[in-house]
Amino acid sequence: MNAENTGKLKGVLNAVPNGYLVDAKWLTQHGIAYETFRDYVNRGWLIRVAQGVFKRPDGNTLPEDLIAWKACLVSLQHIMKRDLHLGGISALAQLGYSHYLPLGESAQVWVYGADIPTWLVKLPLNAKITTRKLTLFADPSLGLTEGTANSRDMVQNDWQLIISTPERAILEALDELPDKESFHNLDMIFEGLTTLRPRLLTQLLNSCRKIKTKRLFFVFADKHNHAWNKQIDAADFDLGKGDRALVKGGKIHPNYRIMVPKDFIPVKTTDGP
């Protein structure tokens, strides 16, 4: 290997910590020719984990082992600079709001982004990846944050997962009702959302493009009636007109005109004995 290639390899090794990933696009952007990939793999400096995707060996795993989904996402966000984030129910779980997310290979990880590579869902990860485009909000960057208490196991070079805040994540999760999320699960999660920030919620609700999602948010918000709910008035937002069907066998919510399970309908109170 000549001095030029040695210098390029050193740059790759410095930029990609052990156990993290890069793809062919990133390698070529950093001056590594396609014909060089095979040499790096043969020498054990990179492991090919899928067509055009490579991992730095970490000394503890074999090529056929499953790849940690957190390390994969951090690689995409901080090394390959892809525009994507962890969102929905997965972000809520990382932030400690959900204890119902399955672990291991049965876990489902929700990834939102404008620049999600097609190879992501094909990798041998220790979770199932579900992807969504950035269509829910007019401002796709609103309500994102870095760092979670549950990501200490994969911190490298001060990198942390870029994830939705709980205010954004609950709207992303509500948007998946009823086909991909359950009312029961989100109801239990919503019960714990006692510290949401009214200002950020207001910004997100104004940016939200889905009438269904906004109506559902207020159905849950009124049901649990946390302190922050008193600072948000549904009348300040565009909730559309007309009834919306959502679940079979449900009832139309009297305030938000969307069909929900019967136990989400407020109980009528009557005066007198």
Side-chain angles (χ1 to χ4, degrees), residues 172-237:
E172 290 170 334
L174 288 169
D175 190 50
E176 297 298 331
L177 286 173
D179 296 332
K180 300 296 183 180
E181 293 291 355
S182 77
F183 275 87
H184 173 72
N185 191 31
L186 293 188
D187 192 40
M188 298 191 72
I189 292 172
F190 216 101
E191 185 177 4
L193 297 178
T194 59
T195 59
L196 297 188
R197 293 162 287 183
R199 183 177 179 182
L200 181 54
L201 278 173
T202 297
Q203 292 174 321
L204 286 162
L205 287 165
N206 278 322
S207 184
C208 184
R209 290 180 167 136
K210 298 280 191 72
I211 296 297
K212 176 200 86 168
T213 303
K214 290 187 284 189
R215 290 189 188 187
L216 284 171
F217 173 81
F218 284 107
V219 169
F220 280 83
D222 286 3
K223 183 175 186 291
H224 292 277
N225 200 27
H226 295 311
W228 51 260
N229 193 38
K230 297 175 178 63
Q231 300 181 54
I232 298 178
D233 188 347
D236 293 336
F237 303 94

Side-chain angles (χ1 to χ4, degrees), residues 4 14 16 19 23 48 56 62 93-94 104 145 148 163 166 172 175-176 180 198 213 219 223 225 229 245 255 258:
E4 181 181 0
N14 288 339
V16 186
D23 60 4
R48 182 180 281 106
R56 276 288 311 279
L62 298 174
Q94 287 298 300
T145 188
T148 74
I163 67 173
E172 290 170 334
D175 190 50
E176 297 298 331
K180 300 296 183 180
T213 303
V219 169
K223 183 175 186 291
N225 200 27
N229 193 38
N255 300 327
I258 188 168

Side-chain angles (χ1 to χ4, degrees), residues 105-217:
E105 293 181 63
S106 60
Q108 187 173 24
V109 175
W110 293 84
V111 178
Y112 296 73
D115 191 22
I116 302 175
T118 56
W119 50 256
L120 177 59
V121 297
K122 302 175 184 178
L123 289 183
L125 300 177
N126 63 341
K128 179 183 177 182
I129 300 290
T130 300
T131 63
R132 290 289 184 267
K133 294 183 178 180
L134 298 177
T135 57
L136 184 57
F137 301 100
D139 181 357
S141 64
L142 188 62
L144 297 179
T145 188
E146 277 195 33
T148 74
N150 293 340
S151 60
R152 297 185 187 124
D153 57 319
M154 35 62 66
V155 173
Q156 176 73 39
N157 295 350
D158 296 323
W159 293 335
Q160 294 285 348
L161 280 170
I162 300 170
I163 67 173
S164 296
T165 57
E167 293 84 0
R168 176 174 178 140
I170 191 60
L171 287 168
E172 290 170 334
L174 288 169
D175 190 50
E176 297 298 331
L177 286 173
D179 296 332
K180 300 296 183 180
E181 293 291 355
S182 77
F183 275 87
H184 173 72
N185 191 31
L186 293 188
D187 192 40
M188 298 191 72
I189 292 172
F190 216 101
E191 185 177 4
L193 297 178
T194 59
T195 59
L196 297 188
R197 293 162 287 183
R199 183 177 179 182
L200 181 54
L201 278 173
T202 297
Q203 292 174 321
L204 286 162
L205 287 165
N206 278 322
S207 184
C208 184
R209 290 180 167 136
K210 298 280 191 72
I211 296 297
K212 176 200 86 168
T213 303
K214 290 187 284 189
R215 290 189 188 187
L216 284 171
F217 173 81

